[in-house]
Amino acid sequence: MRVCVIGTGYVGLVTGVCLSHIGHDVICVDNNEEKVKLMQSGQSPIYEPGLSELMKSSAESARLHFTSDLAKGVDHGEILFIAVGTPPLPTGESDTRYVEAVARGIGANLNGSDYKVIVNKSTVPIGSGDWVRMIVLDGLKERQKASGNDADANFDVVSNPEFLREGSAVYDTFNPDRIVLGSNSEQAIAMMKELYQPLVSRKFAKDKSLDPVPVVVTDLSSAEMIKYAANSFLATKISFINEVANICDRVGADVTQVAKGIGLDSRIGSKFLQAGIGWGGSCFPKDVSALIHTADDYGYSAELMKAAVSVNIRQRSIALEKLQQELKILKGKTIGLLGLTFKPDTDDMRDAPALGLIEELNRLGARVKAYDPIVSQSGLSHGLSGVIIETNAEMLADGCDALVLVTDWKEFEKLDYSKMAKLMTNTVMIDGRNFLDRKALEAIGFRYLGIGH
Ligand code: UDX
Ligand code: UDX
């Protein structure tokens, strides 16, 4: 089918590339010219395992094009994905101005004759589906006033929330737990089912023997709520185990054993029970605060979700408290951070726990060094002022009074910690993700502190 994806960020680009890989004819539109040029040369502007390989193979198949020309994309696609950013405003509500700009732009470029499905991929506040329809109609009317012809509005809006995890977005696209489609138009739903048929039949899945992927068809608002409820539940589950970890710290229990023991209960499940310095990224913080904000708008205070957020904010200072407990005065001390990104296998620093820790350490007069497998190479400097970025773990360890593992990058399991210990002034390790082998580190002479572990 002919598809246009507008907004080639972490979600839009993965969606466009994967849809072309499964056989659709895709045009990706972005208003960032450098990004478009980079993608036209077959390179990905973001780090996402498996994405650049797919981009190269799709480029050869000529079913994947990039442009900054919205009109060209709108004309090409029978299905138009809105996947532009919806970052949080300081108040916590979603900033939907980009969605509005794109929806208006789509309206202004609809020719009114052939039927189109407009898909909300970006996470938008509940009830936005009807709002997007209104904006597209506004765009259409403005065009009609200008050109005088009265093309009728031949489109429907569908909410199709994404559940992609950064660092495994390509895998998650080909192996979804479910596909959610929100619309009251039979025709739109039918077209979306046709679009996703190769994914539903698991043609590109890791395990092709599984049953077809469930397709959940709902009204618009329920589909939007599914996205927010899923992210808010996952964030709450993490804050729950972090709360248990903080109690474990005080009673001498081990949260990793507790997580194992409760996770085997099929009603709980073992995933997202990894205690640590808390959740970050571009989705959990934004989506939980947006849902809390929506509830407030409708006169309801979402106490449980507010508690999940406050536990998460407090969790970030636990690593600092443990550093102060061990080193007493941090002023003049050198602290090395292992990892900076909000999770492994991504280059995304948005709302990463490391950023708050760096701010606090700078405020207390500590010298901060960091090594991150991706950030150290990428020259990313957002929020890292005053941080000495090292290019390997040994250079990081040199002269440090303590190391803090902030991101559980796989490669941190296999570092030469005995060599690093010899380079350190003090051998203190704060394991912010309970990720390292405590016994091995203690055998080398580290003073190891985990989070409830
Ligand atoms: C998006 C949504 O913001 C988020 O709600 C959803 O949960 C995940 O997908 P992300 O893909 O990370 O998040 O957005 P971002 O990385 O900010 O990319 C947005 C892209 O849209 C950028 O490439 C930007 O250049 C482009 N854009 C933005 C446009 O093409 N037009 C615009 O008007 C605005
Ligand atoms: C999340 C959702 O998982 C995904 O479905 C949605 O589409 C986007 O938001 P993402 O934010 O990319 O994906 O990463 P995720 O793997 O969910 O981790 C989010 C944060 O939680 C990270 O900071 C991670 O370190 C933290 N986390 C995750 C924990 O602290 N403990 C865990 O057990 C799992």
Side-chain angles (χ1 to χ4, degrees), residues 247-267:
I247 301 168
C248 285
D249 253 345
R250 285 158 179 74
V251 299
D254 178 351
V255 72
T256 58
Q257 300 302 317
V258 172
K260 188 160 173 245
I262 64 173
L264 288 167
D265 182 325
S266 60
R267 296 165 301 174

Side-chain angles (χ1 to χ4, degrees), residues 69-327:
D69 177 353
L70 181 60
K72 182 179 167 198
V74 171
D75 194 43
H76 166 82
E78 50 196 313
I79 295 180
L80 312 173
F81 281 88
I82 300 178
V84 294
T86 49
L89 289 167
T91 57
E93 59 193 318
S94 294
D95 178 357
T96 54
R97 81 182 101 138
Y98 304 119
V99 173
E100 179 164 354
V102 167
R104 198 176 301 284
I106 290 172
N109 288 292
L110 285 179
N111 62 21
S113 56
D114 29 342
Y115 175 74
K116 296 197 187 260
V117 175
I118 297 171
V119 184
N120 257 348
K121 198 70 177 166
S122 295
T123 309
V124 288
I126 315 275
S128 298
D130 305 325
W131 171 74
V132 166
R133 177 174 191 78
M134 183 191 74
I135 305 284
V136 173
L137 287 171
D138 287 353
L140 193 60
K141 286 192 191 91
E142 276 157 34
R143 214 277 308 280
Q144 283 168 346
K145 249 192 272 151
S147 65
N149 74 338
D150 56 350
D152 64 342
N154 192 8
F155 70 92
D156 284 305
V157 175
V158 171
S159 169
N160 172 220
E162 47 82 23
F163 304 101
L164 309 180
R165 291 164 298 164
E166 287 190 35
S168 55
V170 172
Y171 175 85
D172 290 344
T173 301
F174 292 132
N175 302 276
D177 288 339
R178 75 301 202 187
I179 288 170
V180 173
L181 300 172
S183 175
N184 47 25
S185 154
E186 301 279 311
Q187 185 178 2
I189 293 293
M191 280 174 71
M192 293 303 289
K193 283 183 172 178
E194 185 189 342
L195 178 83
Y196 284 131
Q197 183 45 35
L199 296 181
V200 170
S201 62
R202 296 196 188 274
K203 191 175 163 196
F204 295 86
K206 191 165 173 222
D207 182 350
K208 296 176 172 43
S209 67
L210 293 174
D211 291 343
V213 175
V215 179
V216 180
V217 179
T218 70
D219 61 276
L220 265 170
S221 299
S222 302
E224 290 155 358
M225 177 57 89
I226 287 170
K227 166 74 179 173
Y228 281 106
N231 273 2
S232 299
F233 178 81
L234 292 168
T236 304
K237 188 174 183 184
I238 294 165
S239 283
F240 171 79
I241 198 66
N242 283 338
E243 183 119 290
V244 169
N246 297 338
I247 301 168
C248 285
D249 253 345
R250 285 158 179 74
V251 299
D254 178 351
V255 72
T256 58
Q257 300 302 317
V258 172
K260 188 160 173 245
I262 64 173
L264 288 167
D265 182 325
S266 60
R267 296 165 301 174
I268 296 174
S270 55
K271 291 180 181 167
F272 279 59
L273 280 179
Q274 184 194 349
I277 56 173
W279 36 269
S282 74
C283 285
F284 282 2
K286 162 175 71 71
D287 292 355
V288 182
S289 66
L291 186 51
I292 289 168
H293 199 90
T294 299
D296 281 342
D297 282 351
Y298 291 85
Y300 177 80
S301 173
E303 295 303 321
L304 182 62
M305 293 173 196
K306 285 178 180 173
V309 171
S310 54
V311 166
N312 192 57
I313 290 166
R314 190 180 56 182
Q315 203 62 16
R316 296 186 173 195
S317 55
I318 303 272
L320 190 74
E321 285 161 20
K322 289 180 183 281
L323 278 172
Q324 287 172 315
Q325 179 190 317
E326 286 307 303
L327 301 176

